[in-house]
Amino acid sequence: MSVISSNTMTVIVDEYLLSRLQYRGKRKEVSFQELQQKAVNIYESKEKAYGVAPLDGFNELFYWTLAYDDFIGYMAGVLRLANFSDNR
C-alpha cells in the first residue's frame, strides 16, 4: 500500500532489473533507488492499451512490454502504437 494514493502504477522498463526481480532468489537485492531510476509511473487507465504486464510475486509492480528507448523512454512504444492505429 502506498502512502500517497494515486491512479498510477509503477512499471519496470529496464530488462536487466526485470530479470533480477523475476529471479530474485539467484541475484542480489534491488535497492529502492535503483527501482526509482529504472521504472516509470503510468496511469492505470493505460494498462491494457500499453500492454503493461503484472510482475509475478509483486503486488504493485508491473513491467513494460513495448519498445523502450533511452532518449524518449516508454514513449517509443506508445508512438509505435499510435502510428499503427492511425494507418487503419
Side-chain angles (χ1 to χ4, degrees), residues 4-37:
I4 300 173
S5 177
S6 77
N7 58 346
T8 62
M9 54 197 325
T10 302
V11 181
I12 306 299
V13 294
D14 183 77
E15 290 181 22
Y16 179 64
L17 176 59
L18 175 61
S19 70
R20 288 176 39 222
L21 289 168
Q22 289 173 326
Y23 304 106
R24 62 190 175 274
K26 301 175 186 175
R27 310 278 172 120
K28 72 175 190 165
E29 292 293 318
V30 174
S31 69
F32 76 89
Q33 293 96 339
E34 182 179 16
L35 190 59
Q36 286 179 326
Q37 293 169 350

Side-chain angles (χ1 to χ4, degrees), residues 19-74:
S19 70
R20 288 176 39 222
L21 289 168
Q22 289 173 326
Y23 304 106
R24 62 190 175 274
K26 301 175 186 175
R27 310 278 172 120
K28 72 175 190 165
E29 292 293 318
V30 174
S31 69
F32 76 89
Q33 293 96 339
E34 182 179 16
L35 190 59
Q36 286 179 326
Q37 293 169 350
K38 298 178 180 177
V40 296
N41 288 324
I42 296 175
Y43 287 110
E44 291 174 348
S45 62
K46 299 294 185 181
E47 178 180 1
K48 289 184 182 181
Y50 291 174
V52 173
L55 185 56
D56 289 338
F58 296 91
N59 291 336
E60 296 185 16
L61 283 181
F62 299 82
Y63 66 94
W64 190 247
T65 61
L66 301 177
Y68 184 84
D69 179 275
D70 288 334
F71 181 67
I72 60 172
Y74 74 89

